[in-house]
Amino acid sequence: MLKRFKNGPDDDPEKLSDFDSHGVLRDTYSICELNSMRLMGVFVVCLMVLSVLFSVSLVLRGPPSNGVSEVPEARVFEVKSSEVLAQVTFCCFFTFLKFIASEEDASMSVGLPKDKLLGGLLSAGFDERSCLSRHQSVMYHKELSDKPSSYLISRLRKYESLLIQCGPYSESYNRTLEQLKSGNYNRPSDCNYVVWISFSGLGNRILTLASAFLYALLTNRVLLVDPGVDMADLFCEPFPEISWFLPPDFPLKNQFSDFNQEYPQCYGKMLKDNTAINSTGSMVPSYVYLHLVHDYGDHDKLFFCDDDQSFLKKVPWLIMKTDNYFVPSLFLIPSFEQELSNLFPKKETVFHFLGRYLFHPTNRIWGLVIRYYQAYLAKADERIGIQIRVFDTGTGPFQHVLDQILACTLKEDLLPDINRKQDIARSSGKHKSKAVLMTSLSSGYFERIRDMYWEHPTVTGEVVGIYQPSHEEFQQTENQMHSQKAWAEIYLLSLTDALVTSSWSTFGYVAQGLGGLKPWILYKPENQTAPEPPCRRAMSMEPCFHAPPFYDCKARRGIDTGALVPHVKHCEDMSWGLKLVDSY
Ligand code: GDP
């Protein structure tokens, strides 16, 4: 059975006609909206008919004398008119019910999702056609793994209002920008900003943007996104009305490539050189560069201390470069604790919710996603995603990686074994079909596994199809089509029912988080040998923070930050990394 349209029994993709030039399904909701309007129309007409009949009956009855009608005919008319009224009321009510039922049927027959706004996570104020994925993704994804808290929803709506007040070219923005141009300032500004610099691979960028957005939410700042070379081609605008992109005339834009640990306005360097005025000082810099890249030093890491947050609170412009999902360490900052717990009662939903709120593929990418899905994945009984990322040693294919993938998927019962002694499966009848979506820079793993299932029957009789959308051979930067394929593949992985990912890969983390999936993680091979065990199930769907600080800000000494609270633990795939989990 197709699982794609979860709310309707009739899942025939042929019924979903009406595609646009990218092959993207047009707005199916309009059907529902039309029915709602017709329903309202019928109801209003019924009410009008009722009131007219009622007035006519009153006029014909004339004024009662002594409370009793003198004319017998009038009494007959009164009886008749009340009968007619009862019949019309019944008809209206019946028609109303019929329309409700037919509307329900219509929504079922086109597989309309009940909750295109994801339980209030998404704002209703969008032109749906400008970004089809925002509302259509619910038809392809599993349901959200949990309900977003009402507090998170209200904070997101509040953030969207803040954007209207402080967004690019607003009065407050222009004023704060003047302060940036003039250097230091003493007066607190009504709008503060965090500027995210586009940096690193696509998976990293998605995770760091989510981290920067959460930080902006916690500190009441507006997040402005450096579009880099391809951000606008990849992602729809996530906020209604106001763009999240940094305006092209932003004064420091040309200096972003010079920002590093040695940059004079780098917060870590300012602390090291004692040039940052402490929180009791009167002069506050108009901007500070936050270096949160994996090579950052101890002074940069003080960003995760409360005292430093009190200082940074006063700086109107924070410019951030990072390649890390630093959310787990935000949970260890005491002043953010309560707010985070209100926003995310269930800790492992942070990226799942923020990701589904922020990252919507543009129509072009959405076309890549749904064409591939419909062609190769939709009809299978089960979809398995396998994401292969080989670090350090080139892309391969390597025999030990292939052995590891097979060992994991067979051991965990994700894929059936093959029968090498037989050419034809013995049992007849209809068997379950599995579609396996593989992603890798190399085509070698896919070809070997595809051939394996072509050349031999499975022991279970299951039918296994193996698919891989691209094999780009090596990682490329500033190549737009390369990033578009990568984003489409991440998204396709997130639409699977079960996922196998590679250790250390943010590409896989994004897929698992968007899909709400706890993947089986392939351990990182050492010395060109397949590890034993080959993989393990993730504790949570959250990404791993690869370079967290190990510092106790109060005691001013090193500490194991993975052992402080039950919901921040070391990662399965990186012993020094940190990730959010829900304690059991
Ligand atoms: P990470 O390096 O695995 O953490 O993931 P990133 O996404 O940050 O960087 C790797 C980049 O290499 C991706 O953004 C893609 O450009 C490319 N890449 C790696 N694996 C794949 C893959 O399976 N498919 C495609 N299309 N690109 C990939």
Side-chain angles (χ1 to χ4, degrees), residues 465-492:
I466 313 284
Y467 311 98
Q468 180 169 320
S470 78
H471 50 97
E472 295 282 285
E473 309 306 332
F474 55 89
Q475 183 173 340
Q476 297 162 45
T477 45
E478 318 229 329
N479 174 340
Q480 280 163 324
M481 195 56 206
H482 176 77
S483 298
Q484 290 177 10
K485 285 181 187 167
W487 181 209
E489 286 172 35
I490 291 175
Y491 212 91
L492 280 164

Side-chain angles (χ1 to χ4, degrees), residues 123-127 130 134 157 160-161 163-165 167-168 237-245:
S123 158
F126 281 101
D127 164 21
S130 66
R134 191 188 326 268
R157 296 297 89 82
E160 289 158 7
S161 315
L163 257 186
I164 293 174
Q165 187 202 328
E237 293 278 357
F239 311 121
E241 299 183 51
I242 308 287
S243 173
W244 70 341
F245 286 118

Side-chain angles (χ1 to χ4, degrees), residues 200-205 387-389 391 439-441 470 472 474-476 482-483 485-487 489-490 504-508 546:
S200 195
L202 182 62
N204 282 279
R205 276 187 276 162
Q387 181 251 342
I388 309 300
R389 181 86 166 107
F391 291 101
T439 65
S440 168
L441 286 171
S470 78
E472 295 282 285
F474 55 89
Q475 183 173 340
Q476 297 162 45
H482 176 77
S483 298
K485 285 181 187 167
W487 181 209
E489 286 172 35
I490 291 175
W504 294 21
S505 177
T506 58
F507 195 98
H546 287 171

Side-chain angles (χ1 to χ4, degrees), residues 405-415 434 500 520-521 533-537:
I405 300 165
L406 292 173
C408 172
T409 48
L410 296 181
K411 183 164 172 260
E412 301 298 337
D413 229 5
L414 295 167
L415 290 181
K434 286 195 176 189
V500 178
W520 282 262
I521 307 174
C535 59
R536 67 160 282 187
R537 191 83 196 261

